[in-house]
Amino acid sequence: MLWKKIFNNVWLEFLGRCLLGGVFIYASYHKIAEPAEFAKIIYGYKILPGSLINFLAIFLPFFEFVAGFSLMLGFFPRAGASLINVMLIIFITAIGFNLLRGHEFDCGCFSNSADVHQSPRYLLLRDILYFSIGLMILLFQKARKFCMWPSL
Amino acid sequence: MSLSIKKTMVEVLILSGLAMGGGLIVNQISSRGIAWIGEWDLSKGVVTAKAKNDVVVREREISLESAKQLYETHQWLWIDARDSKEFNEGHILGARSYPVQHFLEELLNDFTQKYSADTGIVVYCNGRECSDSHELAEIFREIGYRNVKVFVDGYPVWEEAGYAVEKDF
């Protein structure tokens, strides 16, 4: 079947790891550098109780960073892809929820600046695309290319 | 549960440990680290993550009622910390525009030449989700102005209350 061929292409898997890993490392940078600004962006989503906002602002960027590196270096890539897909499910749910209730918010995905405003529909589509790439990495069956430590 | 799923779960735990450890250490040592719990209750004043370099000072904050009383004394200098576009769209009558983004680079000399250090200043921006007024108030304190207050409700609430405003068309 065609989808099986695509999902099991070693070069496509490698490309997917580089792309998704790079995106998540890049996304984590401004959040690690300016946690207070990132916390304010989480507050802007108006979903979490105040007591959890800072906790998420401190740890989420490091989950993005570690999972991104795990994919790029091939260090437990299946685990890295699992973490990324869990985060993407959270992002998709948060964006979808605010889209449904018509609440305006700043994504804060790649910048803390409120000037970078993207439509929630675009954000949803983009995250679904990333999720598909994560799924491909997660379900990949063959030996992976350029993998430092494929699994335990 | 198959062996491969178990292995992946252990790997997930290892990566999660690295992420949690990284977050914990960096937040502790970074000068921009934040408190475990921020102040996100609007009724308390301007919301803040309570970072180590936080500019929000509760003692400076005044609400609409106190701001109106100060305004009526005509003895305070009112400073709008928002950008020029927002200022031109509407501001508190008599307020001067000193956007915080350009203050240190472009407006500092102009301000210090015009106003002496004992001037009483009230700074405002767009309300309790906006910290620009606190940022500017902190700059004023650093350059020697001691009598600085922050009107936390900002322009939108002032205008909504029907108090004196000015709009440039």
Side-chain angles (χ1 to χ4, degrees):
Chain A
M1 279 166 79
L2 183 65
W3 70 268
K4 263 195 172 176
K5 268 188 178 173
I6 294 171
F7 263 53
N8 280 318
N9 182 304
V10 285
W11 289 107
L12 213 56
E13 191 273 345
F14 175 64
L15 196 71
R17 272 195 289 131
C18 289
L19 178 79
L20 203 57
V23 162
F24 270 74
I25 291 170
Y26 177 65
S28 71
Y29 170 73
H30 72 276
K31 298 168 189 162
I32 291 172
E34 295 286 351
E37 292 300 314
F38 181 50
K40 218 165 170 185
I41 284 173
I42 298 172
Y43 164 81
Y45 275 77
K46 302 277 166 81
I47 291 176
L48 280 182
S51 52
L52 292 180
I53 290 173
N54 283 27
F55 188 79
L56 196 65
I58 291 168
F59 291 115
L60 180 71
F62 283 89
F63 273 91
E64 291 184 338
F65 183 79
V66 168
F69 255 104
S70 115
L71 292 192
M72 288 199 87
L73 300 177
F75 177 79
F76 302 156
R78 200 178 293 260
S82 306
L83 282 175
I84 282 179
N85 274 8
V86 168
M87 286 188 269
L88 284 168
I89 289 171
I90 296 168
F91 300 158
I92 289 167
T93 310
I95 295 166
F97 179 61
N98 275 343
L99 182 66
L100 281 176
R101 64 176 175 162
H103 173 68
E104 273 192 36
F105 61 97
D106 291 312
C107 163
C109 309
F110 298 106
S111 160
N112 281 330
S113 167
D115 300 336
V116 188
H117 191 79
Q118 288 157 325
S119 106
R121 282 184 180 80
Y122 164 77
L123 296 174
L124 271 182
L125 282 176
R126 191 189 63 192
D127 282 355
I128 289 168
L129 174 72
Y130 291 156
F131 184 82
S132 316
I133 298 171
L135 214 56
M136 179 185 79
I137 298 163
L138 192 62
L139 301 176
F140 189 76
Q141 300 290 333
K142 292 184 181 172
R144 298 172 199 263
K145 288 270 177 205
F146 307 111
C147 236
M148 202 174 93
W149 197 351
S151 71
L152 281 173
Chain B
M1 197 186 293
S2 81
L3 189 64
S4 119
I5 293 177
K6 267 187 188 166
K7 265 188 189 174
T8 306
M9 284 181 73
V10 174
E11 292 166 8
V12 164
L13 283 176
I14 293 171
L15 293 186
S16 301
L18 287 173
M20 300 281 278
L24 206 68
I25 293 166
V26 171
N27 192 57
Q28 282 301 314
I29 61 174
S30 166
S31 60
R32 292 177 175 183
I34 57 177
W36 287 108
I37 297 177
E39 282 181 5
W40 303 106
D41 182 355
L42 288 171
S43 69
K44 302 247 170 77
V46 173
V47 292
T48 168
K50 285 170 72 182
K52 289 175 192 165
N53 59 349
D54 199 11
V55 291
V56 174
V57 177
R58 290 275 174 253
E59 291 71 36
R60 283 192 194 131
E61 296 186 341
I62 55 169
S63 61
L64 180 65
E65 204 176 303
S66 317
K68 182 72 165 74
Q69 283 171 6
L70 293 186
Y71 188 80
E72 283 169 348
T73 65
H74 301 288
Q75 286 176 351
W76 292 74
L77 172 66
W78 287 71
I79 298 294
D80 191 316
R82 301 172 301 162
D83 63 40
S84 312
K85 184 176 170 279
E86 286 177 295
F87 179 83
N88 291 335
E89 283 168 0
H91 54 264
I92 294 176
L93 182 66
R96 301 278 174 267
S97 174
Y98 282 95
V100 67
Q101 289 84 358
H102 308 292
F103 188 82
L104 283 177
E105 285 164 13
E106 300 165 23
L107 306 166
L108 177 65
N109 284 341
D110 173 76
F111 188 87
T112 50
Q113 277 166 17
K114 280 184 183 162
Y115 308 107
S116 63
D118 58 357
T119 308
I121 304 170
V122 180
V123 195
Y124 69 88
C125 55
N126 267 331
R128 296 182 182 222
E129 291 182 0
C130 164
S131 56
D132 288 354
S133 48
H134 271 289
E135 237 172 88
L136 194 54
E138 183 58 22
I139 294 172
F140 287 147
R141 189 197 62 79
E142 282 171 10
I143 60 174
Y145 292 85
R146 295 290 163 207
N147 198 8
V148 183
K149 303 212 177 287
V150 170
F151 167 39
V152 287
D153 295 309
Y155 178 72
V157 171
W158 182 272
E159 188 192 26
E160 209 177 282
Y163 297 153
V165 297
E166 203 170 15
K167 292 180 184 187
D168 300 340
F169 293 103

